[in-house]
Amino acid sequence: MAYAEQYIDKLRKSGLRPTKQRIKICKVLFNTDKTFHFTIKELVKIIENQANIKVSLATVYNTVHAFIKKGYLKEIPLNASQSYYDTNVTHHHHFFDEEENRLIDIHQDDVDEVNIKKTIPGKKIKSVEVIAKIVSDNQSQK
Amino acid sequence: MAYAEQYIDKLRKSGLRPTKQRIKICKVLFNTDKTFHFTIKELVKIIENQANIKVSLATVYNTVHAFIKKGYLKEIPLNASQSYYDTNVTHHHHFFDEEENRLIDIHQDDVDEVNIKKTIPGKKIKSVEVIAKIVSDNQSQK
DNA sequence: TAATACATTATATTTATTCTAAACTGTTGA
DNA sequence: TCAACAGTTTAGAATAAATATAATGTATTA
Ligand SMILES: [Mn+2]
Ligand SMILES: [Mn+2]
Ligand SMILES: [Zn+2]
Ligand SMILES: [Zn+2]
């Protein structure tokens, strides 16, 4: 299958050999039209549900980190005791639904360019991220 | 002293009795012109350095969380295994210096109003925060 | 095939955070 | 005054995410 080639390519470019555990991880992460957000725990659960093979936590962590380093995944800064990861590596922003603990993408086009007037000597901006926390809009009950 | 009154007031409004441990925490947090960012570990270290009294980790965590709930402190969403807290509770944004692991305030005035065109049905925006990651600007060496 | 390099895994470790339970303190009212 | 009580502090235990370790397994290649 052609898609397997892509995964092998991604793995090789990340400095990893394409083992069956890693290809399985790739399938879960990249074999879909839609990008998504996940925690390591959730990723492990998806793999367990789909797969006939066992993949250890250490391998999942290692592979995810290798992909982050290479730019195939992004880590999302959230105030939580656990990291969120994103298969959408384009520049974009997020809603974070505090009630459902869920991240929702905001396309770059949906936010005006964030213009920061302040500068720090000797430093340059590497990335700018907007996080908008959302909650239920319980309209005043008429 | 007048400032002690303020701390007692803050504590009472947070539903906490003004004990000497809690007043000590208040002094470290609020007895300064400048606001600042801190981790729990750092806060404990400051207290240890200044104080003649011992304050346990549990008390520090509990007090900080009570103040957050009341709005006297803010938690800053950062991609880290540890939480950052802010004594500046006004609406503002941040630089995060990835090399020095340091937060720097950006006044609200220094960022144009972030206008998000996307909406989520049934949800309203509670807060919008911008985090700009910064790194050393190593100019191409002439 | 044998040697070697790389991977996977179970398990241990680390570390931030939260929980627990016992000891302590300050307030109250008989 | 002082016993009872509510609330507090604390040391240490528990929890959970993340990382490290080291033994075993697998793939590559000479
Ligand atoms: Mn990480
Ligand atoms: Mn918290
Ligand atoms: Zn996203
Ligand atoms: Zn700040």
Side-chain angles (χ1 to χ4, degrees), chain B residues 57-118:
Chain B
L57 201 56
T59 295
V60 173
Y61 270 108
N62 291 339
T63 306
V64 164
H65 280 126
F67 284 157
I68 288 168
K69 202 169 172 186
K70 188 64 188 178
Y72 295 138
L73 291 176
K74 274 208 304 188
E75 213 165 348
I76 305 299
L78 267 191
N79 170 33
S81 50
Q82 121 191 280
S83 290
Y84 283 74
Y85 303 90
D86 199 340
T87 66
N88 180 353
V89 294
T90 68
H91 178 242
H92 67 286
H93 305 290
H94 292 97
F95 287 122
F96 183 62
D97 184 328
E98 290 199 315
E99 290 153 341
E100 299 173 43
N101 259 51
R102 195 166 56 102
L103 276 167
I104 302 165
D105 280 356
I106 307 174
H107 287 165
Q108 192 178 359
D109 301 341
D110 285 336
V111 178
D112 298 333
E113 176 81 13
V114 178
N115 177 39
I116 300 170
K117 286 154 198 157
K118 184 174 187 176

Side-chain angles (χ1 to χ4, degrees), chain A residues 60-102:
Chain A
V60 173
Y61 270 108
N62 291 339
T63 307
V64 164
H65 280 126
F67 284 157
I68 287 168
K69 202 169 171 184
K70 189 63 189 177
Y72 293 140
L73 291 176
K74 273 208 305 188
E75 213 165 349
I76 305 300
L78 267 190
N79 171 31
S81 51
Q82 119 188 283
S83 290
Y84 282 74
Y85 302 92
D86 199 340
T87 66
N88 180 353
V89 294
T90 68
H91 179 242
H92 67 287
H93 305 289
H94 292 96
F95 286 122
F96 182 63
D97 185 329
E98 290 200 313
E99 290 152 342
E100 299 173 43
N101 260 50
R102 195 166 56 101

Side-chain angles (χ1 to χ4, degrees), chain A residues 108-119:
Chain A
Q108 192 178 0
D109 301 342
D110 285 336
V111 178
D112 298 332
E113 175 83 13
V114 178
N115 177 38
I116 300 170
K117 287 155 198 157
K118 185 175 186 176
T119 57

Side-chain angles (χ1 to χ4, degrees), chain B residues 8-24:
Chain B
I8 290 170
D9 190 55
K10 276 196 156 82
L11 287 165
R12 286 243 157 83
K13 285 185 174 156
S14 304
L16 299 174
R17 282 190 192 165
T19 63
K20 63 177 188 295
Q21 286 84 353
R22 287 170 179 161
I23 287 172
K24 180 66 211 176

